[in-house]
Amino acid sequence: MVGAMTQSVEAPIQARRNAAGHADVIIVGAGVFGLWAARNAIRAGKKVLLLEKRKVGSGASGGFLGALMPHMPDRWNGKKQAQFEALVSLEAAIAELERDTGVSCGYRRCGRLMPVTNEKALAIVHARIEGATANWPGYAMEHWPTLTGTVAQGWLSQQVAAFGVQWDNLSARLDPRALISSLAMFVRANGDLQEGTQVTGLADHAVVLADGSRLEAEQIIVANGWEAYPLLQLWLQTLTGGEQVGRGVKGQAILLSFEHDNTAPIVYHDGAYAVPQSGARVAIGSSTVENWQGDPNWFDPQDTGFAGKAQALVPQLAGAPVLEQWAGVRPRNMLGPNFTQAWIGDMPGLKGVSARIGGFKTGMAMAHVEKPIHMGWIS
């Protein structure tokens, strides 16, 4: 809880919060990127104002899947290196947050299982193992020819792993909602977090609100997920030749009630996830709908093919009670070779304005990173 924050951290932060004057940093969006940006700025001695259109975590950050999985370690590049560094550093960042707030974020480096289904896939796995040896210092990927005597036994179906299983000990999981709650608690205690406040425009060192008023600050950070693209498009279109900056991609997931010993790994195959969470729960997902319309949070009962795939991977989940269904829209940055890069850095053409937007399905692992990452937009 807030009272659990250490006095040495809390006292000077509270003094800055209560000081007269405008904010040093205004952040747009109270999802995982905006909240981490606020925490980082507060800890750096800045007075922070965080503006959220709806409620904290009301976008893609409010889901429950929580899989933190690295890119494959073969064919290494800068994007993969940046994500690897983020995944490794996230553990310490969450531990510090938990110490400051007393709130567990459900983090565990649980590892990941991926079934190997044919000989061609087996050859790919061996290339990945070599890549992990070279590019994942301190972590490893292995091929287990049989499930017997491994963490896969009794969890992953032998029928889908005809050629064994690929295992890595870098993958992790967390409870996204617990993380959001912990971050929001820290920001509320040490900064200014305003819900129900919509930003409709940007200018040098300023944001424009829905009522036409204007707020200025030394630094503006745009971190409202896929809804950032309409704000940013106007400023980038002259540099991109009018090309689309990004769009939202809808996804769905289901949360099951299922008893487990909290040591089970993530299982992933063919777009389907089974992610054991704390509190006798397993999250399964996910779907990808590029051309969706209507309510971004509407759960489509026809778009649940991932559930059957997840239950085929982990047969024990068949018949498990459904606790909750979730739908939301994730950002997909459009300028880049494969549309999955995160964007963390300054906005060309706007003074004092930067953006922090997740790469497709990778944002939860990257949001705490402070250094610029320009790998899909404009360097």
Side-chain angles (χ1 to χ4, degrees):
M1 298 185 298
V2 174
M5 295 184 186
T6 61
Q7 186 173 1
S8 62
V9 172
E10 183 178 10
I13 289 176
Q14 287 287 0
R16 291 193 296 272
R17 181 191 180 199
N18 297 328
H22 66 278
D24 301 310
V25 182
I26 296 175
I27 299 169
V28 182
V32 66
F33 271 86
L35 288 165
W36 271 118
R39 172 171 166 81
N40 292 340
I42 289 168
R43 297 179 77 199
K46 304 293 186 180
K47 189 175 181 183
V48 171
L49 171 60
L50 177 55
L51 306 176
E52 167 54 45
K53 177 181 177 181
R54 290 177 289 270
K55 297 289 185 181
V56 168
S58 58
S61 301
F64 42 68
L65 198 61
L68 304 170
M69 305 194 312
H71 293 295
M72 290 300 123
D74 54 333
R75 294 178 293 178
W76 203 244
N77 56 35
K79 179 187 75 172
K80 293 184 177 185
Q81 179 66 32
Q83 195 219 22
F84 171 79
E85 293 173 1
L87 283 168
V88 171
S89 64
L90 180 60
E91 185 168 0
I94 288 179
E96 290 180 355
L97 175 65
E98 291 176 337
R99 285 195 295 269
D100 285 350
T101 65
V103 175
S104 171
C105 298
Y107 179 90
R108 181 180 178 83
R109 198 172 292 282
C110 59
R112 169 182 54 177
L113 297 170
M114 296 176 61
V116 184
T117 58
N118 53 59
E119 288 188 13
K120 182 177 180 180
L122 183 58
I124 294 173
V125 170
H126 288 310
R128 291 172 176 172
I129 291 172
E130 292 180 5
T133 300
N135 300 311
W136 288 2
Y139 299 90
M141 179 175 286
E142 301 175 4
H143 172 247
W144 297 340
T146 177
L147 309 190
T148 304
T150 72
V151 295
Q153 186 174 0
W155 182 238
L156 177 67
S157 170
Q158 178 69 63
Q159 291 184 329
V160 298
F163 287 78
V165 65
Q166 172 184 306
W167 158 259
D168 76 75
N169 61 2
L170 175 56
S171 297
R173 50 87 163 161
L174 56 75
D175 181 340
R177 292 174 178 175
L179 174 63
I180 292 297
S181 177
S182 184
L183 286 166
M185 180 180 294
F186 179 88
V187 175
R188 285 192 174 104
N190 303 298
D192 189 354
L193 197 168
Q194 297 184 14
E195 297 173 297
T197 304
Q198 183 177 3
V199 172
T200 58
L202 300 170
D204 291 345
H205 298 286
V207 297
V208 179
L209 304 184
D211 63 3
S213 61
R214 177 184 172 116
L215 299 176
E216 298 183 352
E218 173 188 341
Q219 184 180 11
I220 307 296
I221 300 175
V222 180
N224 55 333
W226 70 277
E227 291 183 291
Y229 298 132
L231 286 175
L232 303 177
Q233 183 73 44
L234 175 64
W235 300 100
L236 285 178
Q237 62 186 2
T238 57
L239 299 174
T240 64
E243 190 174 351
Q244 186 178 7
V245 174
R247 66 170 182 266
V249 179
K250 189 175 179 182
Q252 301 195 153
I254 296 173
L255 188 64
L256 303 176
S257 174
F258 184 82
E259 291 284 348
H260 57 86
D261 65 4
N262 207 36
T263 63
I266 297 168
V267 174
Y268 174 78
H269 180 63
D270 192 24
Y273 302 76
V275 186
Q277 295 285 1
S278 58
R281 303 169 303 154
V282 176
I284 59 174
S286 64
S287 62
T288 299
V289 181
E290 297 280 357
N291 299 310
W292 58 276
Q293 295 180 347
D295 182 355
N297 302 120
W298 175 69
F299 186 89
D300 183 357
Q302 304 302 314
D303 184 26
T304 56
F306 61 86
K309 290 182 179 180
Q311 290 167 352
L313 293 169
V314 186
Q316 297 179 65
L317 298 179
V322 175
L323 295 174
E324 187 179 347
Q325 298 171 328
W326 175 86
V329 177
R330 301 158 297 196
R332 185 191 285 278
N333 297 332
M334 296 299 295
L335 301 183
N338 54 24
F339 306 152
T340 61
Q341 295 88 343
W343 171 265
I344 300 174
D346 294 338
M347 282 299 305
L350 278 173
K351 296 177 182 178
V353 179
S354 62
R356 299 179 63 86
I357 306 173
F360 188 59
K361 298 185 180 180
T362 63
M364 197 64 65
M366 305 287 290
H368 68 293
V369 174
E370 296 184 69
K371 68 180 183 180
I373 300 176
H374 295 179
M375 290 183 299
W377 288 15
I378 300 162
S379 300

